[in-house]
Amino acid sequence: LGGINLNLKTNRLLQKRWVQVLLYILLIGLIGSIYEKAAGWFVIASDVGLAAYYFFISKKFKKRRLISKIAVGFMLFMMFMVGIGLSNPLTPEQRLAANQQNNEKLVAQKVSEQAKTEGNKVEENKAAEENQNKTEEEAAPETQESKPTEPVVDNSNIIVNGQLKVHFIDVGQADSILVQQGNSNMLIDAGNNGDAQAIKSYLDRQGVKVLDVVVGTHAHEDHIGSMDYIINSFQVGKVYFPKQTATTKTFQDFATSVKSRGLQLTTPTVGSKFSIGDAAAEILAPNGSGYEDANDYSVVIKLTYGNTSFLLTGDAEAVSESQMLSKGLNLSATVLKVGHHGSRSSTGQSFLNKVNPKYAVISVGKGNSYGHPTQDVMDRLKAKNIPVYRTDENGTIVATSNGSSVTFSTSPGSYSGIKSSTSSSSGSSSSNTSVGNITTANPVPAPVVTASGSGEKQYVDASGKGLIKGNASSKIYHMPGGAYYDRTKAEVWFKTEAEAQAAGYRRSSR
Ligand SMILES: [Zn+2]
């Protein structure tokens, strides 16, 4: 009996309009709360429920005067907008990504504009600006301010007033390049593990708060060494990294930092474009997979600003260079970041001819054990009268483009490189360095091979440091030019094989 009584009471209660509305609100709120922004969903649900109650259910409300109906309607509308704001499902990172996608659209638009007639240009530009404003409002509905339109300088290309700065940060035998345009920043590579503080404080000094784009060109420590620290220290938009994995701790640290910041690795696809402020970036490599040499996975980016451009090649070697050439990509650039620290296996003659740079930059460590930069590459640059800026001689190099020309923060360095062993008869690798000839794609430290008194071959660099790499955990040593030489983290260096064997190491089979 008690149960039936309760049941009747419940039925009677359920027939009441306000209970129905309340249940409706609870139900929608519950569904909404399954998603992230429960509060926003709840407000919207309540709002819709109340609106339904006032305008379709309540008989009392129908008798009210028009003015009070309008007042209630307005309040409900405001409440709805608050709900939308609260339920905005975009996190700051996603908002950044949304802006970036919009920028990509802008770049595409600008490119198409170039093909059109002069008369249309300004109008379309305005439309593009408006389009950008719209998207920004969608992402942040509370913001009423629209972005001030920047003045358009009408050259043969469309560029916007300002400067593009490309900082080749001196991180010794490693790469780290900061690109700045407008309010946008991109970091390509982050030096070795020990460079974390130096890179961070350099970025701080440049006023960097957000890295819109971060690029790890490939998995080697001298490129992603401090990337984990940087990703943890700055707000990061998008992370580009080739489809390449490594078992090193450095790579794992990098991957962990990306994951822990809720980011994802974006695999670069050749031909895809994005923008850094008003500079357009295009990905030119890698054009394949399954490379024997990890360096050929390097992400290659061409950065265009007005009539100037930068070709940033990471450690791409002959194989990647020949693929870019055979694909017929537009490689020409004002500034070439010389591949693989000036290694002989990069910057082949036909590649260099195609890029035809006005200036070259080499990121390389003073007295490094790899024999970088090689005299071969320096000679190729010298023959074309290309001024070379190099971090080992010039420290950090800042290249500034105003859209029509590029200026440098220092004067050029010398053409002196490390003479490779191939000039002597002892060279094991071919001296034919023409690009397109894939057989020359050895990882190339250029050892100075000399015969010691005992007749044993000595592998030393110009400073007398041993070049045979020993892996302390596997107790295997790798000869210069060996297949695993570059990807082995050097823990012990030997001058001769006898020295390595005496220390209990055995020679790598490859
Ligand atoms: Zn490197």
Side-chain angles (χ1 to χ4, degrees):
L1 261 170
I4 291 163
N5 196 19
L6 195 75
N7 210 3
L8 283 170
K9 263 188 186 168
T10 320
N11 272 340
R12 229 174 287 143
L13 208 62
L14 277 174
Q15 277 164 10
K16 293 208 162 128
R17 300 278 195 213
W18 66 268
V19 176
Q20 285 172 359
V21 169
L22 194 74
L23 282 174
Y24 171 79
I25 290 168
L26 279 172
L27 182 73
I28 302 290
L30 202 71
I31 293 167
S33 64
I34 293 167
Y35 298 94
E36 278 173 49
K37 313 282 172 171
W41 280 96
F42 196 79
V43 171
I44 293 171
S46 311
D47 188 64
V48 172
L50 281 173
Y53 174 72
Y54 277 120
F55 289 98
F56 298 107
I57 296 167
S58 171
K59 281 179 184 123
K60 274 185 201 161
F61 187 71
K62 273 184 187 149
K63 290 172 195 157
R64 291 279 188 97
R65 284 184 300 160
L66 184 66
I67 183 77
S68 66
K69 282 179 185 171
I70 290 169
V72 170
F74 180 73
M75 273 176 63
L76 287 171
F77 175 73
M78 293 306 285
M79 191 172 159
F80 185 76
M81 292 313 282
V82 168
I84 293 278
L86 286 172
S87 68
N88 184 358
L90 293 182
T91 63
E93 282 86 3
Q94 282 169 325
R95 224 172 276 188
L96 212 84
N99 280 342
Q100 244 160 37
Q101 271 176 8
N102 186 47
N103 281 344
E104 276 164 33
K105 271 184 235 151
L106 269 177
V107 171
Q109 230 160 345
K110 281 186 183 176
V111 169
S112 71
E113 274 168 38
Q114 281 175 17
K116 289 181 183 172
T117 55
E118 294 279 313
N120 288 339
K121 255 181 203 170
V122 177
E123 265 179 30
E124 292 212 1
N125 230 11
K126 265 186 199 160
E129 292 280 356
E130 273 165 23
N131 192 22
Q132 187 177 24
N133 291 342
K134 230 181 260 172
T135 315
E136 271 170 7
E137 274 161 34
E138 271 164 26
E142 293 94 339
T143 313
Q144 295 293 314
E145 281 172 16
S146 67
K147 203 186 161 198
T149 46
E150 286 162 296
V152 175
V153 178
D154 201 3
N155 284 340
S156 57
N157 282 325
I158 290 168
I159 70 151
V160 174
N161 268 344
Q163 288 183 327
L164 168 73
K165 278 189 187 288
V166 182
H167 308 248
F168 300 89
I169 305 169
D170 180 14
V171 283
Q173 182 65 16
D175 270 20
S176 189
I177 302 164
L178 171 67
V179 176
Q180 296 188 293
Q181 209 299 306
N183 295 320
S184 299
N185 303 298
M186 165 165 69
L187 186 73
I188 301 177
D189 289 333
N192 282 297
N193 279 304
D195 298 320
Q197 292 299 335
I199 297 170
K200 163 90 163 53
S201 63
Y202 189 86
L203 298 193
D204 285 343
R205 283 203 298 279
Q206 308 312 316
V208 174
K209 298 267 188 294
V210 177
L211 288 168
D212 303 72
V213 177
V214 162
V215 181
T217 58
H218 63 295
H220 282 156
E221 193 226 335
D222 60 324
H223 295 258
I224 56 163
S226 296
M227 204 61 104
D228 54 338
Y229 185 81
I230 296 301
I231 286 171
N232 287 324
S233 305
F234 293 90
Q235 195 189 323
V236 172
K238 208 165 185 177
V239 185
Y240 284 98
F241 191 76
K243 248 193 165 28
Q244 181 189 25
T245 53
T247 51
T248 58
K249 186 176 182 299
T250 297
F251 178 76
Q252 272 154 18
D253 289 346
F254 163 62
T256 305
S257 69
V258 169
K259 213 174 171 186
S260 73
R261 295 296 305 252
L263 297 163
Q264 281 176 344
L265 295 180
T266 302
T267 305
T269 49
V270 171
S272 70
K273 290 170 183 166
F274 57 91
S275 70
I276 301 300
D278 293 307
E282 184 179 356
I283 290 167
L284 302 187
N287 286 282
S289 59
Y291 293 110
E292 198 179 321
D293 194 311
N295 287 331
D296 282 318
Y297 281 97
S298 287
V299 179
V300 175
I301 289 175
K302 182 171 168 179
L303 199 64
T304 304
Y305 186 67
N307 295 322
T308 66
S309 53
F310 292 73
L311 190 64
L312 308 168
T313 59
D315 279 356
E317 299 200 30
V319 172
S320 178
E321 287 181 357
S322 65
Q323 285 176 336
M324 283 185 267
L325 285 169
S326 65
K327 262 206 158 184
L329 300 172
N330 181 2
L331 301 173
S332 73
T334 319
V335 179
L336 170 68
K337 201 288 302 189
V338 171
H340 197 192
H341 321 286
S343 157
R344 196 178 60 224
S345 57
S346 297
T347 325
Q349 194 61 58
S350 38
F351 185 76
L352 185 60
N353 290 345
K354 205 80 183 172
V355 179
N356 198 24
K358 216 170 170 184
Y359 310 98
V361 177
I362 305 182
S363 193
V364 64
K366 203 177 266 179
N368 68 81
S369 55
Y370 299 88
H372 295 159
T374 53
Q375 193 60 57
D376 304 39
V377 169
M378 299 314 291
D379 287 346
R380 275 174 235 159
L381 295 166
K382 191 181 179 182
K384 289 175 81 76
N385 283 320
I386 301 164
V388 179
Y389 300 83
R390 40 196 289 185
T391 57
D392 61 342
E393 292 182 358
N394 305 119
T396 293
I397 297 151
V398 185
T400 306
S401 166
N402 61 7
S404 53
S405 63
V406 177
T407 52
F408 285 83
S409 59
T410 68
S411 39
S414 74
Y415 286 109
S416 69
I418 310 295
K419 288 212 164 49
S420 74
S421 60
T422 50
S423 54
S424 74
S425 59
S426 65
S428 57
S429 59
S430 165
S431 61
N432 177 8
T433 49
S434 74
V435 162
N437 185 349
I438 289 168
T439 56
T440 61
N442 282 347
V444 176
V448 179
V449 185
T450 54
S452 68
S454 62
E456 170 106 40
K457 259 185 193 168
Q458 253 192 348
Y459 294 80
V460 290
D461 68 9
S463 62
K465 193 185 163 201
L467 286 176
I468 299 174
K469 256 187 194 179
N471 183 326
S473 52
S474 66
K475 291 276 178 185
I476 289 172
Y477 67 88
H478 300 264
M479 303 303 289
Y484 289 114
Y485 189 88
D486 260 16
R487 64 192 91 171
T488 300
K489 202 180 162 189
E491 276 141 340
V492 192
W493 294 102
F494 303 106
K495 286 177 186 168
T496 64
E497 290 197 67
E499 194 187 323
Q501 283 156 13
Y505 284 73
R506 63 183 175 82
R507 184 177 171 147
S508 165
S509 56
R510 293 191 61 176

